Amino acid sequence: MLKIIVYMLGMTLAIGVTAQEQDIDSSPPIRVQLKPKVELIVSSEIAGRLSIYPLKEGERFNKGVVLAGVNCDVYRARLDHAKAKEKAASQKYKIAKRLNKLESISVMEVGQSEADLEMATSERQVAQLMVKRCIIRAPFSGRVSQRFVESGEYVTEGKKLLEIYSTRSYEVELIIPSRWVNFVNVGDTFQVTLDETGNTYQAKIIRLGSVIDALSQSYKVFGEIQAHQNLVLMPGMSGSAVFNVSDKERNEHEHGL
């Protein structure tokens, strides 16, 4: 009698797992939307007249190219002034050290000249940083999705200039049934068919949502499509995703029973 109960229990669990796997296999495609994996807003780091602003909306760019530049004449002049001030402070400190050896100057005066040099050096470093901020370079290769200003405008610090995104990889967000939680894992592959191109692309799960929506009994899954040469993808494209439970996963669940 005990053997019969154990056997029936095992059959019930096996049927439950098989039903879930068939649910994935037979489920309708899940709607997805494409978005860039890396995107950012490029803002001005200093105030000034926008003198370099070469890229138009939709244009591509390579990592390291100049995206924007503010007229830097005033900041370069401040840097030259800071360098001259540092040079003068350095000469005074050298003289103070020589006089100190001859005991012709007080220790306080030597310390003051040293402090003046340190302050002048700090001012020169700040001026150098401001000059460096005149030019903004691309942190990655990608495309311009939006421009917020025009060349020649006066921009303030923090003013939005461009919205850009990386064309190296794209992310898809899916909302799947919570009952699939045992069969969908990071690293799993699935197929995405985009409406705009009509083509099917291989995608990979890169992370899983951490919360299940109790009302809809669903949770989020995030996938990635790697870009390659001649692959035409754009943010906002939409389509459908299809999952398949592999034989390996089936065997693992059956073995677990």
Side-chain angles (χ1 to χ4, degrees), residues 7 29 39 41 46 48 53 78-79 84 86 94-95 98-99 103 131-132 157 160 166 174 192 238 251:
Y7 175 76
E39 59 182 335
I41 300 294
I46 58 174
Y53 198 53
R78 290 174 180 172
L79 176 59
E86 182 185 31
K94 289 178 180 178
I95 293 173
R98 293 195 192 103
L99 292 175
E103 297 182 352
V131 170
K132 185 178 179 181
E157 183 178 346
K160 293 193 296 186
S166 171
L174 311 85
V192 174
S238 59
N251 293 333

Side-chain angles (χ1 to χ4, degrees), residues 32-236:
V32 301
Q33 187 172 30
L34 202 66
K35 65 178 183 178
K37 189 176 179 181
V38 179
E39 59 182 335
L40 59 85
I41 300 294
V42 177
S43 302
S44 176
E45 297 186 61
I46 58 174
R49 187 75 57 187
L50 193 62
S51 58
I52 304 174
Y53 198 53
L55 298 175
K56 304 295 183 182
E57 185 174 328
E59 283 192 301
R60 296 179 180 273
F61 56 85
N62 294 321
K63 181 179 180 179
V65 303
V66 176
L67 297 177
V70 172
N71 186 292
C72 214
D73 292 345
V74 173
Y75 297 101
R76 289 195 182 97
R78 290 174 180 172
L79 176 59
D80 291 340
H81 177 78
K83 286 180 177 179
K85 189 174 180 180
E86 182 185 31
K87 184 177 180 180
S90 178
Q91 291 294 333
K92 289 181 179 180
Y93 180 53
K94 289 178 180 178
I95 293 173
K97 288 196 295 182
R98 293 195 192 103
L99 292 175
N100 185 51
K101 289 180 179 180
L102 299 173
E103 297 182 352
S104 300
I105 193 174
S106 66
V107 174
M108 186 180 68
E109 289 175 310
V110 175
Q112 183 62 52
S113 63
E114 183 179 10
D116 291 342
L117 175 57
E118 290 176 353
M119 290 176 61
T121 300
S122 297
E123 291 176 1
R124 187 262 304 162
Q125 291 173 341
V126 170
Q128 280 183 329
L129 181 61
M130 297 303 287
V131 170
K132 185 178 179 181
R133 289 181 174 180
C134 289
I135 298 296
I136 301 174
R137 297 187 180 275
F140 49 74
S141 297
R143 296 183 72 178
V144 177
S145 56
Q146 191 174 355
R147 283 164 51 112
F148 298 104
V149 295
E150 294 297 331
S151 181
E153 286 188 31
Y154 182 87
V155 296
T156 57
E157 183 178 346
K159 176 70 175 179
K160 293 193 296 186
L161 305 178
L162 296 167
E163 183 177 0
I164 62 175
Y165 66 89
S166 171
T167 53
R168 183 176 180 180
S169 60
Y170 296 85
E171 187 172 283
V172 289
E173 181 180 316
L174 311 85
I175 298 178
I176 67 174
S178 58
R179 61 182 177 273
W180 291 8
V181 69
N182 289 328
F183 301 100
V184 177
N185 301 291
V186 173
D188 288 351
T189 58
F190 60 98
Q191 289 74 44
V192 174
T193 301
L194 295 176
D195 298 337
E196 289 79 6
T197 65
N199 296 327
T200 300
Y201 308 89
Q202 190 78 1
K204 181 176 68 173
I205 296 176
I206 56 174
R207 67 182 187 277
L208 304 174
S210 59
V211 177
I212 292 178
D213 187 327
L215 186 63
S216 62
Q217 292 187 322
S218 63
Y219 72 110
K220 290 182 179 180
V221 171
F222 301 89
E224 179 186 59
I225 299 176
Q226 287 289 338
H228 56 76
Q229 192 173 7
N230 301 324
L231 180 62
V232 180
L233 295 176
M234 288 185 287

